[in-house]
Structures are given as structure tokens and as C-alpha cells.
Amino acid sequence: MKRVPALLWLAAMLIASAYVAERFYVGMTWRTDLLALLPHDQSDIARARAEDAVTRTISQRIFLLVGHKDFVVARASATALTARLTTDGLVGIDPIVPGPEAIARIGALYAPYRNGLLSSADRAALSRGAGEAIADRALTQLFGFVGIGDAGLLRADPFLLLPAFFADLPTPYARLSVVDGVAVVRDGDMHWIPIVGKLRGDPYAFAEQTRLEEALAIDGPVGLQVLRLGATFFAHAGAQTALDESSTIGLISTAGTVLLIVLAYRAIAPLLLSLLAIGIGVLTGLATSLAVFGELHVATLLFGVTLI
């Protein structure tokens, strides 16, 4: 009967070892989102879900700038990078220059609220009782050299207030120009081609971040630059730093523990028993965390190595 606890302990260690080995063989999922470690406000479930949805949408966006002094080289490199990202299924590219379908979708989105959308000039004109100027402007736009209205638009918006509202909005890309059908930003002698997209995978999954980094590591001509912006890039940089630091701290702490035991006991048996205890603690903690949460956060590595 005295061997039963030992056999149970050995069986638990074997099960934990097999489980951890299977998870590493399949592929370990590392989380890099620091916000995931913070407690969530459960007082307002609807607000928390809305904030999570907005945060998730923003986190999936990436913005790239492919630059070179030669516009032809910049355009070719941007085209090749876009093809690689879409072929690998990493990013869904959004068009920079809106086409007719995009403009139609924007109009359909705002059309139900057109009666409450006024430009600053139209609102000021109506406030001072100068509505005739708005009517004259609509007639000029309709019967001018290039008319912008059709029968459907005139029935819904006879004074063309919605187009005036759109024209009054600030331009999101003030320095953006279109050259040969490609959006470009000029900064000194550099030509920058913007690429805007949405990640198809989890922006905080370390494996997805690694795939994206490999896709962006293009070997271009001399002088080619690729600037990037997005939550996934910051998360990957922090995760990589955490992994490097945890490896360094773990190595130093383990070496210090071994040195301390050797100097204190001057025997091999206490050293082996101490290493066995450390290994069992790491194994059981890793297996329990994976079984409960299904994944690990890179911050847990830093917490874990400091406990050693």
C-alpha cells in the first residue's frame, strides 16, 4: 500500500508529459495580447462586447508603406508584396482608391439619414434664411456642363444636400495622389505606395505573426523600404522580447540554482533531486495551464522563470 501514492504520482507525471509533448507536436498557441491579462468589466455586458468588437476590428487592421526613389520600383515591389500577402491568405487587401461600388455602398449607408446631414455651409445658409442659394446651386449642378444627378437621386434628395455633405468632409488622404491608377504619396524624393488590409487570422497569435513577418521579409532592390503600422506588429515585437528575456533569465536562474546547490551540498544527489523538482514543477504547471486555458501567454514565461 505504501507504493500506491508513488505509483499514482508516476502515472500523473507520465500523463502530463505525454499531454505536453502532444501539444508541442501539434503546435503550441502563444498569446501576445497584453489586454487579455486585464480583468473584464462584467457590470455592463453589452458595453464590454461592443468594446471587444471595436478593439478586435482595429487590431486586425494593418497599414504598409512600400517606398523607393524610383516610382516604377516602388510600384512593382508593392504589387509583389500584395500578391504574396493575398496568396498566402494572410491579409485581405482594401482598395485605396474607391471604385464605383465602394462609392455606391457609402451612399447607401448614409442615404437613410440624409435629412439630418448638412454641410457647414448649408447649415449656415439655412440659419440665416438663404435657402435660395442652395436651390440655385442644385440647379447649377444639375444643368451644368457635368451634371451629377439622376432621376433617382433627385427624387430622394432634390436639393443635392447629401453630395454637399460628402464634399464638406475632411479628406482622409490629403497627400495622396493617383499615378497610373496607383495611389502614391511623395515625400521628398521618395515614392510611397500604401497598402491597407485586414488580417484574416488572429492578430495576437504568435504563429500568425511569424507568418506575416516572413511574408514581409522581401528581398528588394537597394533603397527599398517597407514601413508598417498595426497592433499585430507591436504585439509580435513585445512577444519576441519576452521570449528572449525569458530564455536568458531562465538560463541564468537555473545556472545559479545549480551553482548554489553544488556549493552548499558538494554532492550530485541533491543537485539531481533539485533539478527533478524544478522540472516536475514546470511540467505540471505547463500541463495544467494548457488543460485549463488551452493556450499560453508569453507573459507567463516571464512570471514562471522568476519563480525558479
Side-chain angles (χ1 to χ4, degrees):
M1 295 298 296
K2 294 182 179 180
R3 296 183 177 180
V4 173
L7 293 176
L8 292 177
W9 174 84
L10 180 60
M13 293 302 100
L14 292 177
I15 293 174
S17 301
Y19 177 69
V20 172
E22 187 271 337
R23 290 299 303 269
F24 272 96
Y25 177 77
V26 173
M28 181 66 67
T29 301
W30 297 100
R31 296 294 301 175
T32 60
D33 183 11
L34 293 179
L35 296 178
L37 301 177
L38 301 178
H40 294 279
D41 184 12
Q42 300 297 332
S43 59
D44 192 345
I45 302 299
R47 178 179 178 181
R49 290 179 178 176
E51 291 177 351
D52 291 341
V54 173
T55 302
R56 183 169 56 254
T57 301
I58 296 176
S59 300
Q60 289 179 323
R61 309 295 298 183
I62 64 169
F63 186 84
L64 306 175
L65 282 175
V66 181
H68 197 272
K69 293 183 178 180
D70 189 345
F71 169 73
V72 177
V73 175
R75 180 179 60 183
S77 301
T79 302
L81 180 58
T82 301
R84 177 181 298 184
L85 293 175
T86 53
T87 302
D88 295 342
L90 296 173
V91 181
I93 303 299
D94 297 337
I96 299 295
V97 181
E101 295 181 356
I103 297 176
R105 288 196 300 267
I106 294 175
L109 177 65
Y110 284 94
Y113 314 100
R114 61 185 179 275
N115 294 330
L117 299 177
L118 292 173
S119 64
S120 301
D122 290 348
R123 190 177 299 276
L126 293 176
S127 299
R128 65 175 183 269
E132 295 83 359
I134 298 178
D136 293 339
R137 183 197 63 196
L139 291 174
T140 301
Q141 293 176 347
L142 180 61
F143 296 105
F145 181 74
V146 180
I148 65 171
D150 56 12
L153 178 60
L154 291 177
R155 283 194 299 268
D157 188 8
F159 295 102
L160 302 180
L161 298 178
L162 189 59
F165 169 78
F166 287 142
D168 190 52
L169 294 177
T171 304
Y173 305 106
R175 300 177 57 186
L176 192 66
S177 59
V178 179
V179 179
D180 296 337
V182 178
V184 59
V185 178
R186 292 186 177 90
D187 184 19
D189 57 350
M190 292 290 293
H191 296 81
W192 298 96
I193 309 297
I195 301 175
V196 180
K198 181 179 180 180
L199 295 174
R200 300 187 184 276
D202 188 350
Y204 295 112
F206 191 76
E208 293 293 327
Q209 295 171 357
T210 303
R211 291 181 58 202
L212 181 61
E213 291 290 337
E214 294 174 353
L216 294 177
I218 58 175
D219 295 330
V222 178
L224 180 67
Q225 301 182 41
V226 179
L227 306 182
R228 61 186 70 180
L229 181 64
T232 185
F233 300 122
F234 292 102
H236 182 267
Q240 191 64 52
T241 302
L243 291 174
D244 295 340
E245 291 180 355
S246 63
S247 300
T248 303
I249 297 174
L251 179 62
I252 294 175
S253 61
T254 303
T257 302
V258 171
L259 180 62
L260 179 63
I261 295 174
V262 170
L263 293 178
Y265 294 98
R266 299 182 183 276
I268 193 64
L271 175 60
L272 295 178
L273 291 176
S274 299
L275 294 178
L276 178 63
I278 293 175
I280 291 174
V282 172
L283 176 64
T284 54
L286 186 60
T288 304
S289 299
L290 290 175
V292 174
F293 301 104
E295 57 189 9
L296 287 180
H297 200 285
V298 292
T300 59
L301 295 178
L302 294 176
F303 298 152
V305 295
T306 54
L307 294 178
I308 298 178

